[in-house]
């Protein structure tokens, strides 16, 4: 389709969650660079807006205060009145929830077309059903996002590698001494929003113990909540000099992403950290419990070979990991041994030993 027939001023909507917003970047950055004369405006939350580092010049970020002035139906109308001052001629709704659909409906009254992401909710219900489960690979979120833009007439190559394509990020000064080591620097992000995604604390500590015993690894721990900070502090005390907690360092997304760009590997749950690591081309060993990669949420360019999971007839029981375990034992996570994870880490490090020279 010729450039004269495609929209020239696009509003993109993806408000939450952080991991889902991060997954838009490998699609949006190549799109913006393929169409430098088209203006794109990303509507997202203030927190998520901070991950759009080194964005293309024709991409603007518009933070939405969904817990403030843009909350509720009245807030959506307030947001619409703010946005209608911008001459949008199309909307790419990558969220497809009530809030985004209401906003699109208001714009349609003034002649602005919109395309909504197909979330295949019925197919997701089928793969998470307790009985008569129909497990199959669904399209990834990246494919679903791309389909929205292709429907609007855009064609582009999905060649995203890293947000740092034009420069090497500067490591936060406080971490420079920690990274000045001949050991392999790896990250561990042991937390997630829901219990169905979190590998048991004691088992993860055993993983760290196995790595520390080899005397080959320097481990950086990602986490920030009060309870998370307490756990990470205990691990730092248990493994002095071998483990560094990022909790309390106030690195922000820019600092954590810069560190990830200097690491060789990240161990993560099915969580936002997996997707943040993917934005800097960092290989991830991902641990999956109640959720499953077949739902389409594996990180950008991450390998299925690096997925650690247990095959159980009840998996997946949830798309987001927010349902209580009906077995009451979270066997999907408990059955994964620390040795299996440690062996996978060692295997991946050996396979990608050249990355240490690169970083």
């Amino acid at each position: 389709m010729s450039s004269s027939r495609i929209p020239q001023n696009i509003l993109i909507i993806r408000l939450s969650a952080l991991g889902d917003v991060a997954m838009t970047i490998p699609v949006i950055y190549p799109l913006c660079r393929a169409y430098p004369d088209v203006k794109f405006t990303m509507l997202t939350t203030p927190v998520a807006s901070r991950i759009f580092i080194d964005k293309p010049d024709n991409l603007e970020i518009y933070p939405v205060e969904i817990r403030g002035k843009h909350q509720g139906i009245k807030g959506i109308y307030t947001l619409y009145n703010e946005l209608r001052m911008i001459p949008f001629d199309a909307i790419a709704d990558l969220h497809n929830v009530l809030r985004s659909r209401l906003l699109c409906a208001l714009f349609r009254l003034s002649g602005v077309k919109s395309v909504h992401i197909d979330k295949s909710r019925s197919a997701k219900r089928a793969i998470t059903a307790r009985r008569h489960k129909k497990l199959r690979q669904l399209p990834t979120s990246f494919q679903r996002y791309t389909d929205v833009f292709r429907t609007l007439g855009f064609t582009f190559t999905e060649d995203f590698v890293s947000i740092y394509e034009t420069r090497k990020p500067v490591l936060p000064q406080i971490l420079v001494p920690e990274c000045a080591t001949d050991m392999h620097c790896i990250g561990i992000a042991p937390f997630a929003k829901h219990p169905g995604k979190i590998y048991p604390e004691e088992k993860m500590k055993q993983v760290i113990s196995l790595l520390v015993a080899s005397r080959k690894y320097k481990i950086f721990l990602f986490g920030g909540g009060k309870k998370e900070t307490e756990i990470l502090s205990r691990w730092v005390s248990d493994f002095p000099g071998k483990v560094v907690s990022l909790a309390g360092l106030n690195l922000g997304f820019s600092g954590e992403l810069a560190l990830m760009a200097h690491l060789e590997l990240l161990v993560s749950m099915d969580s936002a950290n997996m997707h943040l690591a993917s934005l800097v081309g960092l290989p991830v060993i991902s641990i999956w419990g109640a959720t499953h990669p077949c739902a389409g949420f594996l990180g950008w360019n991450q390998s299925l070979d690096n997925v650690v999971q247990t095959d159980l007839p009840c998996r997946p029981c949830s798309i987001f990991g927010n349902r209580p375990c009906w077995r009451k034992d979270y066997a999907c996570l408990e059955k994964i041994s620390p040795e299996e994870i440690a062996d996978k880490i060692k295997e991946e490090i050996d396979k990608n030993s050249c990355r240490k020279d690169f970083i």
Side-chain angles (χ1 to χ4, degrees):
M1 184 174 290
S2 67
S3 59
S4 62
R5 295 176 59 191
I6 63 172
Q8 297 298 298
N9 201 337
I10 313 298
L11 176 64
I12 306 170
I13 305 174
R14 181 72 224 198
L15 301 173
S16 64
L18 180 62
D20 294 297
V21 177
M23 293 178 82
T24 68
I25 290 178
V27 175
I28 292 175
Y29 277 28
L31 168 66
C32 291
R33 290 175 178 134
Y35 292 87
D37 296 328
V38 176
K39 182 179 178 181
F40 299 89
T41 300
M42 181 71 187
L43 203 65
T44 192
T45 63
V47 171
S49 68
R50 300 171 196 157
I51 66 176
F52 287 84
I53 295 170
D54 286 8
K55 64 181 179 60
D57 293 337
N58 57 333
L59 174 63
E60 296 295 328
I61 310 300
Y62 196 106
V64 181
E65 299 176 31
I66 59 176
R67 297 292 181 265
K69 65 177 180 177
H70 300 135
Q71 185 174 15
I73 294 178
K74 182 179 179 181
I76 293 172
Y77 190 70
T78 298
L79 178 60
Y80 167 69
N81 282 328
E82 294 173 7
L83 291 171
R84 69 175 179 172
M85 299 297 103
I86 305 172
F88 295 116
D89 50 4
I91 301 175
D93 180 6
L94 305 185
H95 206 166
N96 196 2
V97 293
L98 180 60
R99 182 182 286 111
S100 64
R101 294 191 73 88
L102 285 175
L103 186 60
C104 290
L106 289 170
F107 270 104
R108 276 199 302 274
L109 295 176
S110 55
V112 180
K113 64 182 177 180
S114 59
V115 177
H116 306 270
I117 187 175
D118 177 8
K119 289 189 170 182
S120 297
R121 290 182 173 93
S122 60
K124 289 176 180 176
R125 285 194 294 270
I127 67 172
T128 57
R130 186 167 172 179
R131 296 181 178 86
H132 310 298
K133 189 185 297 292
K134 297 180 180 179
L135 189 62
R136 62 186 179 91
Q137 180 63 53
L138 302 183
T140 68
S141 290
F142 308 107
Q143 292 172 307
R144 296 180 190 278
Y145 292 157
T146 298
D147 287 344
V148 171
F149 293 111
R150 295 201 187 284
T151 301
L152 287 171
F154 295 97
T155 58
F156 57 100
T157 302
E158 299 165 57
D159 56 358
F160 179 86
V161 176
S162 169
I163 54 175
Y164 301 116
E165 288 188 359
T166 60
R167 66 182 178 96
K168 185 175 181 179
V170 177
L171 190 67
Q173 190 62 37
I174 194 172
L175 294 177
V176 171
E178 301 291 355
C179 293
T181 175
D182 291 332
M183 293 188 289
H184 296 287
C185 292
I186 69 171
I188 295 181
F191 306 111
K193 186 175 181 180
H194 303 293
K197 291 183 174 185
I198 303 175
Y199 191 57
E201 177 185 338
E202 286 305 311
K203 287 180 177 289
M204 185 58 81
K205 182 179 176 180
Q206 291 177 49
V207 173
I208 296 173
S209 180
L210 290 168
L211 296 175
V212 168
S214 72
R215 301 178 183 271
K216 295 181 179 180
Y217 302 94
K218 186 69 170 285
I219 302 169
F220 295 81
L221 303 174
F222 291 77
K226 182 178 179 181
K227 183 178 179 181
E228 296 175 0
T229 300
E230 293 173 354
I231 294 171
L232 300 186
S233 296
R234 288 199 298 269
W235 291 351
V236 170
S237 298
D238 291 337
F239 306 103
K242 305 297 183 183
V243 177
V244 178
S245 171
L246 305 183
L249 298 185
N250 298 317
L251 298 179
F253 288 129
S254 60
E256 291 194 2
L257 285 165
L259 171 60
M260 286 182 178
H262 285 78
L263 297 179
E264 296 178 67
L265 181 71
L266 179 73
V267 179
S268 174
M269 309 301 103
D270 169 22
S271 68
N273 277 300
M274 171 179 62
H275 299 295
L276 294 177
S278 301
L279 296 183
V280 300
L282 178 63
V284 177
I285 302 293
S286 55
I287 302 170
W288 299 67
T291 58
H292 197 290
C294 73
F297 296 105
L298 185 63
W300 175 259
N301 274 348
Q302 297 299 335
S303 172
L304 278 171
D305 291 339
N306 288 340
V307 169
V308 179
Q309 59 185 334
T310 300
D311 289 330
L312 293 172
C314 56
R315 286 191 64 238
C317 64
S318 173
I319 293 297
F320 307 111
N322 55 341
R323 293 180 182 176
C325 175
W326 64 266
R327 291 174 47 130
K328 311 297 183 186
D329 61 359
Y330 288 103
C332 55
L333 292 161
E334 292 286 351
K335 287 181 176 293
I336 298 173
S337 73
E339 290 78 11
E340 180 181 357
I341 297 172
D343 288 345
K344 179 64 72 173
I345 293 169
K346 294 171 183 176
E347 175 187 327
E348 184 65 17
I349 287 291
D350 290 343
K351 185 172 67 176
N352 293 290
S353 58
C354 59
R355 179 177 168 85
K356 186 172 179 65
D357 298 329
F358 170 75
I359 58 181

